[in-house]
Amino acid sequence: MIVVSACLAGLKVRYNGSHRLDQRIEELVQEGKAVTVCPELLGGFSTPRPPAEIIGGDGHDVLQGVASVVDEHGTDVTEMYVKGAKATLEQIQALEATAVVLKEYSPSCAAG
Ligand code: SF4
């Protein structure tokens, strides 16, 4: 099974309620070869939500507790991002995924 970013499959889960449809990814889901995940929704966020960025490092640094994730209002949302990352990893492991396709330039999906 392949795990893909939900927004790449056309689901409107991005912070601003949009998607980033990639036709090939959508086809994989429709054919039952891939399942979608959205780490931010798994972390407890809803759509729409304020955009956020990693401050002081990359995704690895966030997981190690030496960088943080802050939204555009200055709210530290690190805990929810870490929760989403862990939940995503659990899903990937539970599905015994053979491949993972995540979106670039996202503080959640492109963690690193
Ligand atoms: S967390 Fe990942 S799947 Fe969810 S909207 Fe952002 S890039 Fe897409």
Side-chain angles (χ1 to χ4, degrees), residues 5-43:
S5 290
C7 57
L8 295 178
L11 300 181
K12 295 178 178 177
V13 294
R14 296 184 70 224
Y15 70 93
N16 59 3
S18 68
H19 60 70
R20 276 292 169 87
L21 176 64
D22 181 314
Q23 210 77 50
R24 295 160 300 175
I25 301 289
E26 185 183 43
E27 285 170 14
L28 286 173
V29 174
Q30 288 173 345
E31 292 166 3
K33 295 176 182 168
V35 296
T36 62
V37 293
C38 176
E40 291 178 18
L41 295 189
L42 287 175

Side-chain angles (χ1 to χ4, degrees), residues 54 57-64 67 107 110-112:
I54 297 173
D58 58 21
H60 300 291
D61 297 323
V62 172
L63 292 174
Q64 288 175 1

Side-chain angles (χ1 to χ4, degrees), residues 66-90:
V66 296
S68 55
V69 186
V70 178
D71 74 16
E72 67 174 355
H73 303 303
T75 303
D76 189 321
V77 289
T78 306
E79 204 172 304
M80 292 171 81
Y81 271 78
V82 170
K83 180 183 170 195
K86 288 180 177 171
T88 301
L89 180 60
E90 282 172 16

